[in-house]
Amino acid sequence: MKTAKFAIGQVVRHRLFPFKGIIFDVDPQFANTDEWYEAIPADVRPRKDQPFYHLLAENSETEYIAYVSEQNLLEDQSGEPVRHSQIKEMFDKRPDGRYEPKRQSRH
């Protein structure tokens, strides 16, 4: 099994499509439905044997949750903040601009 290249809280962008987001979960390999996978055009369909990332994603028009293969992600170097409405529920923004997962209180 391959080790994930990107980390929870990291800002990434899609290699082919104009969106970026913050990683909030990682699957070591594909863990979505076959219907979802088959809906991706064959010429851009990623391999299943790699990490897949759940993103709080945004493009110029909207915010959403994305599920993206590692091969289709690049580190976002823009330094621009992500505006997704769920960020504050899941992350704290550090002074250096990075996102850190919120600490869960345990009872």
Side-chain angles (χ1 to χ4, degrees):
M1 193 170 300
K2 187 176 177 187
T3 302
K5 177 179 176 180
F6 302 107
I8 305 291
Q10 189 170 1
V11 179
V12 292
R13 63 183 176 87
H14 198 281
R15 182 181 304 273
L16 303 172
F17 302 111
F19 72 86
K20 70 178 186 175
I22 301 172
I23 296 169
F24 70 89
D25 194 18
V26 182
D27 292 334
Q29 61 186 25
F30 181 79
N32 207 331
T33 65
D34 287 333
E35 292 80 17
W36 182 92
Y37 187 76
E38 295 298 324
I40 300 169
D43 61 330
V44 294
R45 191 176 299 148
R47 299 179 330 274
K48 288 184 175 183
D49 65 341
Q50 64 182 312
F52 276 72
Y53 299 83
H54 300 263
L55 308 178
L56 297 177
E58 66 178 40
N59 60 28
S60 62
E61 300 170 4
T62 191
E63 303 168 358
Y64 52 98
I65 303 294
Y67 190 64
V68 185
S69 65
E70 186 168 276
Q71 76 186 60
N72 284 325
L73 290 177
L74 299 168
E75 183 177 0
D76 181 70
Q77 305 270 336
S78 72
E80 296 175 9
V82 180
R83 69 177 188 275
H84 198 284
S85 61
Q86 290 180 278
I87 291 171
K88 290 182 181 178
E89 296 171 30
M90 302 172 95
F91 296 97
D92 291 318
K93 191 166 185 184
R94 296 172 34 149
D96 64 4
R98 293 189 301 164
Y99 295 90
E100 184 173 276
K102 286 192 179 278
R103 302 226 183 258
Q104 303 266 334
S105 59
R106 309 230 177 205
H107 298 279

